[in-house]
Each structure stands twice: as structure tokens, then as C-alpha cells.
């Protein structure tokens, strides 16, 4: 009481203004290197070379999933192989975007708190749809069965198409 | 206790209360925290949409092939490329802003805006292609029938019986062959056949399939498609006869819902980038760019899953 501390604004306000810096206005008072570093510890990560490498990888992976559509894809008769492949490619692409472009690789552990529960909820959400919607065609009313498309309809249309093609060929020959 | 604490504070600083050490709960800014919380809700939002699509698709007895609904894989792949490019440009804008290269940051931001608009333009072109084939999510405009059955036949008959169509057909039949393109000549002959089949008293299931094939054939996997062209609806755009795409209605509902919600997110992102362009993009606003970028990368992420699921499955 008798010896008041010398008024030092930096010492007195430093810890209190830190959250202000942290929250919204890093650059207002953060021109000093120290303040800047505490606010954006992750700033030095990345770099043009890394981003371009990730970009190249993403383009390559897009080409890979497009490859399943091309005639060079060896498993054209087993679409499941292509689906699994494309999902693997998509997950890899998603991971690249999240880790590098969204800077999650360099974030602290809060990233797990936000992403893992959301991802689990997302998976549960889809799984919970399976009994009622995924298996909806196991048991259907007669009226619905009357109006819903069946593989036989596709077959019928294909037969009609090939018949039309033959007819067209026939007409063509006739014209010649 | 309180009094002594206060007095200690007074002792230490003379004119202040106790000095409190601020301990942030998470080592990130409030804006970024809120953006991440929002994105985790968005994960579940799109997971619900994508999950229902997958479950509907694999639970369906028949699902149309991408060619049956006039999806173009190369266009989809190109759109993926455009969106990935825009993700890179927004990252570069953030880097430039942090390095205090304001005009460079603005350039990258503008590039992002343009690439996003380009994506939307391609999407609009694709939508227009669907609409021109009568593929809409719902009935008044949508021309899709699930099966080539008698209901389909009666719909074709009803359409051919409309006064406007009768008038158009009269006009078409009155025109001399020299005025018509070869496609229109064969199309006219086929339209006559379809009309006779649709109006005929004795109809078999196969007749309906023949009509459906003439109106709009389901293209083969091969890029060239069928030998007999795009069908009557393409030769005579005014005709707009009902078409048959097995599983096509559910496909249209899910396709337009998924890509529509994604497009809405793209539009919101573009508005945000447009607003950001009004600011001075220095280190002071790097946080804003970062948050907008996080959102944009998420939009990119959704498309990364949408593209194979919609175009290649």
C-alpha cells in the first residue's frame, strides 16, 4: 500500500489485451513480432510449393477417378471395384483438402473435438437410413409394385432399342 | 477474503482491481471457432443428403445410368478441376494477405470469385441440358415415366391429342420434304408410326417400350449412343412427349436436391468473396479471409464426394 508499483501499461494490460488480440484484431496491436507469433502460431506453415504440390495431387486424383469411366478401366464388368476405388480416391482428396488447405494439419487438438463427433454422427445418420429406406423395396404394396421401375423394364427398353436399330439398318439397306 | 484480495490488487497496482490472467478455452480466434462449429453442422447436413442419396440409390430396384439422364462425365470432371483451382486461389489469397501483399491478395480473391462463377455457369449449362430433355424434379414440368406401361401409353396419347400438338403435326406433315432436314424427314415418319401405335386399340407392353425408345432412347455407355439419334423429342423440341427413364424420378429428385444445395453454398461463398473484395486485404483482415476460405474449402470438399457419386457411380 505504501509502495505503489510503477505504472507500466505493458505489464498491466498485456495479459488482458491478449484475448482481444487473439479474438478479432490480430494486426491492430500485433505488429510486433511477438504478439503476431502468439496469435497466429500456424502462420509459417504451408507455402506456395506445398500448396501447388497438393493441387497437383488433387488434379491427379481427379484424373484417377475419371479413369474409371474411360475404356481403359479394367473392371468395367464389376462396378463395385470402381465404386470402392472412387471412394478411396475421394477420401484421399478430402483428406488433402482438409489437412493442407484448411490447415488442420497444423491446428491444436481441438480439431478432433469438432471433426470426429461430427463425422461419427454423419456415419450414424446414413446407417440409420438403411432399414427404412435402403431396404424399402423388400416389402412393397401392390400398388407401388405396379408403378415402380424394375430391371425387366430396362431390358424391355433395350430390346426395343435393338429392334429399332435393326429396323433402321434394314431401312438403310433398302434405301441403298 | 474479498476485501483482502481487493486490497492486494490495490497494493500491486495502485489504481486497478486484481489482474486476471486470461486463459482462452481454445487456441483459436472466436471467428474461426464459430466457423468450425458451423462447418461441423454442415458436415452433418451434407452427410444427411449424401447418405440418403447413397441409401436411396442402392436400395432402388433400378437406377438410371449417367448416360440415361444425359450426365456428361467430362463436364463434371472439369467442374471438379475448376473448384479445386478456386480452393488453391483462396489459399494463395490468404498467404498473400498475411504477407501484406494486398494487391496480390485481391487478385487471388478475384480469381476465386471468377472460378466460382465459372463453376456455377457450367452447372447452369448442365441444368439447362436436363431441362431441355424434360428431366425435372417434379411432375408438372418433368416428363419422366418410370415404366413403359399402359399409363405411359395413355400419357403419350393424351399429349398427342392436345390441340396445339395436332396443329403442329398438321403443319409438319404439310411441309414438302425438300424443306426438311434428313433427321426431320425420318422423324416425321417415326412420329406417324408412334402416333398410330399410341392410338391403336391393341397395345402390348413391347409397343410401349418401342414408343419410349422412339421418343427418347436410353443412350448406350459408348459416347456415340444409339444409331437412331436423339429421338423424337430432340428432333421436334415442341413435341415434349412423356419419356421413360426407369428410376429417373428418384434420380432427378436426388440430383437436383444435392447439386442445388451445393450450388446455394457456392452462391453464398461468392457473395462472401464479393464482400471481402471491398476490404483492404492486408494482415488485418487475414482472419476474415481464412474463415471464408475454410467455408469455401468445405464447399469444394462436398463436390469432391458429389462428383463421383453422381457422375461415375
Amino acid at each position: 500500500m505504501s509502495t505503489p508499483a510503477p505504472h507500466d501499461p505493458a505489464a498491466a494490460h498485456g495479459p488482458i489485451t491478449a484475448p482481444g488480440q487473439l479474438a478479432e484484431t490480430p494486426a491492430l496491436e500485433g505488429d510486433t513480432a511477438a504478439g503476431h507469433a502468439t496469435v497466429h502460431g500456424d502462420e509459417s506453415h504451408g507455402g506456395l510449393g506445398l500448396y501447388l504440390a497438393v493441387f497437383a495431387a488433387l488434379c491427379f486424383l481427379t484424373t484417377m477417378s475419371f479413369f474409371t469411366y474411360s475404356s481403359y478401366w479394367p473392371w468395367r464388368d464389376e462396378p463395385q471395384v470402381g465404386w470402392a476405388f472412387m471412394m478411396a480416391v475421394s477420401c484421399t482428396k478430402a483428406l488433402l483438402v482438409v489437412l493442407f488447405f484448411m490447415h488442420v494439419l497444423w491446428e491444436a487438438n481441438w480439431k478432433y473435438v469438432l471433426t470426429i463427433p461430427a463425422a461419427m454422427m454423419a456415419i450414424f445418420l446414413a446407417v440409420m437410413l438403411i432399414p427404412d429406406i435402403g431396404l424399402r423395396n423388400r416389402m412393397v404394396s401392390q400398388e407401388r409394385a405396379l408403378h415402380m421401375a424394375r430391371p425387366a423394364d430396362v431390358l424391355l427398353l433395350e430390346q426395343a432399342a435393338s429392334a429399332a436399330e435393326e429396323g433402321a439398318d434394314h431401312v438403310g439397306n433398302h434405301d441403298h | 477474503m474479498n476485501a483482502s484480495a481487493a486490497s492486494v490488487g490495490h497494493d500491486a497496482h495502485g489504481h486497478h482491481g486484481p489482474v486476471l490472467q486470461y486463459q482462452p478455452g481454445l487456441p483459436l480466434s472466436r471467428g474461426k471457432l464459430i466457423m468450425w462449429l458451423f462447418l461441423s453442422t454442415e458436415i452433418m447436413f451434407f452427410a444427411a443428403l449424401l447418405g440418403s442419396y447413397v441409401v436411396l440409390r442402392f436400395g432402388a430396384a433400378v437406377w438410371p445410368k449417367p448416360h440415361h439422364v444425359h450426365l456428361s462425365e467430362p463436364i463434371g470432371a472439369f467442374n471438379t478441376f475448376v473448384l479445386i483451382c478456386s480452393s488453391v486461389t483462396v489459399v494463395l489469397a490468404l498467404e498473400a494477405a498475411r504477407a501484406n501483399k494486398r494487391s496480390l491478395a485481391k487478385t487471388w480473391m478475384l480469381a476465386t470469385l471468377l472460378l466460382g462463377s465459372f463453376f456455377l455457369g457450367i452447372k447452369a449449362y448442365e441444368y439447362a441440358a436436363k431441362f431441355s430433355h424434360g428431366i425435372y424434379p417434379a411432375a408438372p414440368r418433368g416428363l419422366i415415366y418410370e415404366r413403359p406401361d399402359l399409363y405411359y401409353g395413355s400419357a403419350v396419347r393424351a399429349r398427342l391429342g392436345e390441340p396445339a400438338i395436332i396443329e403442329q403435326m398438321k403443319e409438319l406433315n404439310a411441309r414438302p420434304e425438300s424443306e426438311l432436314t434428313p433427321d426431320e424427314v425420318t422423324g416425321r415418319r417415326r412420329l406417324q408410326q408412334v402416333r398410330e401405335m399410341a392410338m391403336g386399340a391393341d397395345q402390348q407392353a413391347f409397343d410401349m417400350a418401342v414408343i419410349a425408345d422412339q421418343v427418347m432412347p436410353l443412350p448406350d455407355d459408348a459416347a456415340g449412343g444409339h444409331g437412331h439419334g436423339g429421338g423424337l423429342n430432340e428432333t421436334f423440341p415442341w413435341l415434349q412427349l412423356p419419356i421413360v427413364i426407369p428410376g429417373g424420378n428418384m434420380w432427378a429428385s436426388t440430383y437436383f436436391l444435392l447439386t442445388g444445395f451445393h450450388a446455394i453454398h457456392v452462391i453464398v461463398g461468392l457473395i462472401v468473396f464479393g464482400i471481402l473484395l471491398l476490404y483492404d486485404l492486408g494482415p488485418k483482415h487475414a482472419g476474415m479471409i481464412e474463415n471464408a476460405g475454410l467455408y469455401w474449402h468445405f464447399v469444394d470438399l462436398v463436390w469432391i464426394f458429389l462428383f463421383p457419386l453422381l457422375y461415375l457411380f
Side-chain angles (χ1 to χ4, degrees):
Chain A
M1 208 163 209
S2 58
T3 56
H7 185 222
D8 180 0
H13 295 290
I16 292 178
T17 48
Q21 285 184 334
L22 186 88
E24 304 294 2
T25 55
L28 276 182
E29 359 184 15
D31 286 337
T32 59
H36 221 62
T38 52
V39 173
H40 283 295
D42 55 342
E43 230 178 69
S44 57
H45 298 292
L48 187 64
L50 180 66
Y51 291 136
L52 289 182
V54 172
F55 173 66
L58 287 173
C59 289
F60 172 72
L61 287 168
T62 305
T63 319
M64 286 311 285
S65 56
F66 188 66
F67 173 56
T68 60
Y69 155 77
S70 80
S71 54
Y72 298 104
W73 178 250
W75 294 280
R76 289 191 78 77
D77 295 332
E78 292 118 23
Q80 290 84 353
V81 179
W83 296 339
F85 177 76
M86 278 185 283
M87 276 301 102
V89 166
S90 286
C91 289
T92 314
K93 282 165 76 179
L95 211 61
L96 284 177
V97 169
V98 170
L99 287 182
F100 295 103
F101 287 172
M102 296 172 94
H103 300 114
V104 165
L105 184 62
W106 303 294
E107 298 290 2
N109 284 343
W110 59 262
K111 63 191 174 188
Y112 301 116
V113 180
L114 282 183
T115 50
I116 290 180
M120 283 169 71
M121 289 285 282
I123 292 167
F124 288 150
L125 214 72
V127 170
M128 283 188 294
L129 291 169
I130 292 175
D132 275 354
I133 298 175
L135 305 179
R136 66 191 183 285
N137 284 336
R138 288 267 173 102
M139 299 246 289
V140 294
S141 66
Q142 213 163 8
E143 195 185 352
R144 189 154 146 205
L146 195 65
H147 295 292
M148 68 186 231
R150 271 171 287 192
D153 297 316
V154 182
L155 207 66
L156 207 61
L157 288 168
E158 280 171 0
Q159 283 169 355
S162 58
E165 211 135 315
E166 275 167 31
D169 284 349
H170 182 72
V171 170
N173 292 337
H174 187 70
D175 285 350
H176 287 296
Chain B
M1 197 62 193
N2 281 340
S4 78
S7 74
V8 167
H10 194 73
D11 273 354
H13 298 283
H15 58 101
H16 270 293
V19 175
L20 301 173
Q21 184 73 37
Y22 181 80
Q23 299 282 347
L26 291 168
L28 71 168
S29 71
R30 284 195 289 263
K32 197 167 154 187
L33 173 65
I34 295 302
M35 180 50 78
W36 269 105
L37 280 173
F38 171 65
L39 287 185
S40 60
T41 67
E42 288 277 90
I43 290 174
M44 286 182 272
F45 176 80
F46 275 105
L49 288 177
L50 281 168
S52 4
Y53 168 76
V54 168
V55 169
L56 282 169
R57 186 217 183 290
F58 287 100
V62 182
W63 196 259
K65 293 199 175 82
H67 294 273
H68 294 173
V69 282
H70 306 277
L71 271 180
S72 164
E73 283 90 347
I75 292 180
F78 182 67
N79 238 353
T80 311
F81 175 71
V82 169
L83 219 49
I84 289 174
C85 284
S86 75
S87 257
V88 176
T89 54
V90 78
V91 164
L92 294 177
L94 175 61
E95 290 290 308
R98 279 179 176 167
N100 206 8
K101 295 171 184 160
R102 288 146 199 262
S103 64
L104 186 65
K106 205 147 250 191
T107 310
W108 285 127
M109 192 55 86
L110 193 66
T112 313
L113 190 71
L114 291 177
L115 284 166
S117 312
F118 192 41
F119 175 89
L120 274 187
I122 296 173
K123 204 76 231 156
Y125 167 77
E126 286 192 288
Y127 269 30
K130 307 280 169 299
F131 294 159
S132 76
H133 284 102
I135 298 173
Y136 284 88
R141 282 172 170 276
L143 302 174
I144 304 172
Y145 277 71
E146 292 284 309
R147 321 180 54 195
D149 55 7
L150 291 175
Y151 296 95
Y152 172 68
S154 67
V156 171
R157 196 158 55 234
R159 177 66 182 162
L160 287 174
E162 281 176 26
I165 296 299
I166 292 175
E167 208 55 42
Q168 287 268 26
M169 281 173 71
K170 264 187 199 159
E171 211 173 285
L172 179 71
N173 288 333
R175 285 167 71 185
E177 215 163 280
S178 55
E179 273 183 28
L180 301 169
T181 64
D183 266 1
E184 283 174 329
V185 173
T186 49
R188 186 165 72 173
R189 200 181 65 233
R190 286 188 175 139
L191 181 57
Q192 207 53 45
Q193 288 169 355
V194 162
R195 201 175 158 274
E196 278 161 22
M197 282 174 98
M199 301 295 182
D202 178 33
Q203 289 173 340
Q204 306 294 319
F206 193 66
D207 293 348
M208 298 303 130
V210 169
I211 292 176
D213 182 62
Q214 291 295 340
V215 171
M216 196 199 74
L218 297 182
D220 280 339
D221 276 353
H226 271 297
H228 56 290
L232 291 172
N233 269 2
E234 203 165 301
T235 315
F236 307 113
W238 44 267
L239 204 52
Q240 296 191 338
L241 285 172
I243 57 178
V244 176
I245 304 174
N249 280 309
M250 187 61 89
W251 179 86
S253 302
T254 53
Y255 173 81
F256 286 110
L257 194 74
L258 284 168
T259 57
F261 268 120
H262 182 261
I264 289 173
H265 278 77
V266 172
I267 292 170
V268 169
L270 292 182
I271 292 170
V272 170
F273 290 138
I275 293 170
L276 275 180
L277 274 174
L278 303 176
Y279 282 82
D280 179 34
L281 298 180
K284 190 178 158 186
H285 290 124
M288 275 163 56
I289 301 176
E290 187 181 11
N291 293 340
L294 283 174
Y295 173 80
W296 191 252
H297 297 314
F298 179 79
V299 172
D300 185 16
L301 209 66
V302 171
W303 184 256
I304 282 175
F305 284 102
L306 273 185
F307 165 61
L309 282 173
L310 289 175
Y311 287 78
L312 300 171
F313 262 46

